[in-house]
Structure formats: structure tokens, C-alpha cells
Amino acid sequence: MAHPAAKSRFVLLAFFVIALFLFVRLEGYRAAPSPVPQAKEGTSDAKEGTSGGSSSGALLTGHAIAPKLGNATAKAELGRAAWKVLHTTFGRFPEKPTADEKEALRSYVHLFQRLYPCGECAEHFGKILAKYPPQVSSRSAAAMWGCMVHNMVNKRLKKAEFNCENIGDAYDCGCGEEDAKDKSG
Ligand SMILES: Cc1cc2nc3c(=O)[nH]c(=O)nc-3n(C[C@H](O)[C@H](O)[C@H](O)COP(=O)(O)OP(=O)(O)OC[C@H]3O[C@@H](n4cnc5c(N)ncnc54)[C@H](O)[C@@H]3O)c2cc1C
Ligand SMILES: *[C@@H]1O[C@H](CO)[C@@H](O)[C@H](O)[C@H]1NC(C)=O
């Protein structure tokens, strides 16, 4: 090792060994399985959730995640707030969305269902989504679809049917004066 040429060869060799070690580790991270939760086999949602793409299908349509809520008061409060968010989201969605915006809304609705904090509600709503996938082609299509699926939940809970012709008046369409003020403030 005293010879200078031998010493520099050793340093070079050590450098390559370290570089190889780091490369192998990085490849290992890239090849690691993604932390995306997979749908449980045997749940009704997993079986029915075939409307999504093959790679994102399990993420968007897998099993409902939250536990049972039970408490009827909390369930109703949560429901009113959630429907408000959903209908207002549809009412302010672009009338002519881009492909990216359509995909965003579709994913949002599916994940809204999967993560809905009332587990038993999410389970029921998952079955509705499997049969009637979100309509994302335009604001009016999305709003009408939202009104329709809400009516399905109303029916199951023995509530009055809502007239979907009035859906544009019931929720902010995003085209009034109030909207212009919001954007400047
Ligand atoms: C995805 C989801 C699933 C649910 N699943 C269950 C469940 O399984 N079990 C359960 O007990 N509760 C469930 N709920 C809650 C339930 O739907 C109600 O929100 C809750 O019972 C309170 O009802 P509400 O009579 O105050 O009016 P909501 O149904 O909450 O409606 C709020 C307001 O929206 C308007 N509205 C009514 N129908 C429509 C419509 N079709 N389109 C647009 N606007 C409308 C009316 O002005 C109404 O007052 C769920 C809620 C959501 C968001
Ligand atoms: C049910 O939920 C309501 C509203 O969140 C809450 O005020 C009440 O204490 C809850 N009841 C029980 C028994 O947890």
C-alpha cells in the first residue's frame, strides 16, 4: 500500500464499490411496492368497482375506509354538510372541463365515497357509484348526476324526492355577481 500507484488504485476501487452499493439501494427503493391500499377481496365494493382504469381501480373503488358511525344526529349533520360540499362542487365545475379536470372530479367523487367518515353510508354509496359512475363531462351533467344520486339516498332513507330541474338555482352556479366579488377579495 506504500506505493502511490497502488494507493490510488485502491481509492478508485473503493469509490466504485460505494457507487455500486448506492445504485443497488436506490433501485431497491424504486422497485418497492407502492403504499396504495388494495381492495379487499370479497367485499361487495371491490367486486363491483370495475369501472375505473386497471391501475387506479383499486384506489378509487376499493373498500370503504371509515368505521361505522352509528350516532344518527352526527350522521345527519355530516350528511347535510357533505351534500352541500358535493352539490356546490358540481355547481362550480366548468361547463367545458378539460380532460384533466374531468379526471380530477371523477377521482374526487370516488375518493369522497371511499373516505366518507360514516362507514355504513360509504358502503351504500359505493354501490350507487358502481352502478352510476360520476358524470364529469360538464357542469350540468355533474350537477344532474349529483341530484340523481342524492335522490337515490333520499329514497332509501324514505325522504322526499328533490326536483332536479331546480338544481341550478339551489346551488351557486359560479356565474353570478357574488362569484366576481369572491374572486377579487
Ligand atoms: C354520500 C352520502 C351517503 C349517505 N348515506 C347515508 C346512510 O346510509 N344512512 C343515513 O342515515 N344517512 C346517510 N347520509 C346522510 C343523509 O343523506 C342526509 O344528509 C341526512 O339524513 C340529513 O338529511 P336532511 O333531510 O337534513 O337533508 P339532506 O339529504 O342532507 O339534504 C340537505 C339539503 O339538500 C337539498 N337536497 C335534497 N335532496 C337533494 C337532491 N337530490 N339534490 C340536491 N339537493 C338536494 C335539500 O335542500 C336538503 O334540505 C348520507 C350522506 C351522504 C353525503
Ligand atoms: C351524537 O352526535 C351528536 C352530534 O355530533 C353529539 O352532540 C352527541 O353527543 C352524540 N351522542 C353520543 C351518544 O355520542
Side-chain angles (χ1 to χ4, degrees):
M1 282 293 234
H3 199 278
K7 191 175 174 184
S8 71
R9 249 178 316 200
F10 175 77
V11 168
L12 204 64
L13 183 69
F15 174 79
F16 276 113
V17 166
I18 289 164
L20 185 70
F21 176 70
L22 286 176
F23 179 73
V24 166
R25 278 189 59 127
L26 285 176
E27 281 298 291
Y29 280 123
R30 279 208 318 185
S34 72
V36 168
Q38 298 299 307
K40 269 188 216 141
E41 293 294 347
T43 69
S44 55
D45 282 353
K47 264 182 277 168
E48 288 170 29
T50 52
S51 57
S54 56
S55 60
S56 61
L59 177 65
L60 299 186
T61 60
H63 69 281
I65 292 170
K68 184 174 159 51
L69 181 58
N71 185 334
T73 310
K75 217 187 293 198
E77 281 176 5
L78 178 70
R80 279 189 286 272
W83 285 123
K84 177 126 189 169
V85 170
L86 279 180
H87 292 304
T88 309
T89 300
F90 301 142
R92 296 179 64 89
F93 189 64
E95 193 51 58
K96 290 187 165 66
T98 63
D100 169 69
E101 289 162 347
K102 290 179 196 175
E103 195 50 34
L105 185 63
R106 195 179 78 84
S107 301
Y108 177 78
V109 171
H110 278 292
L111 290 176
F112 195 96
Q113 176 269 319
R114 276 201 80 186
L115 289 159
Y116 193 69
C118 160
E120 65 273 34
C121 308
E123 197 126 333
H124 288 300
F125 196 53
K127 287 175 184 163
I128 293 176
L129 289 197
K131 212 166 175 181
Y132 303 97
Q135 299 297 300
V136 300
S137 61
S138 68
R139 174 189 302 161
S140 39
M144 197 52 77
W145 176 85
C147 192
M148 186 193 74
V149 294
H150 189 165
N151 269 337
M152 287 177 187
V153 175
N154 287 344
K155 192 170 181 180
R156 206 172 60 77
L157 299 176
K158 303 188 166 38
K159 288 177 192 285
E161 189 176 329
F162 187 87
N163 183 357
C164 292
E165 278 172 37
N166 302 333
I167 193 74
D169 304 326
Y171 298 91
D172 181 9
C173 69
C175 46
E177 272 181 81
E178 208 49 49
D179 185 58
K181 265 188 265 168
D182 287 350
K183 271 177 184 169
S184 63

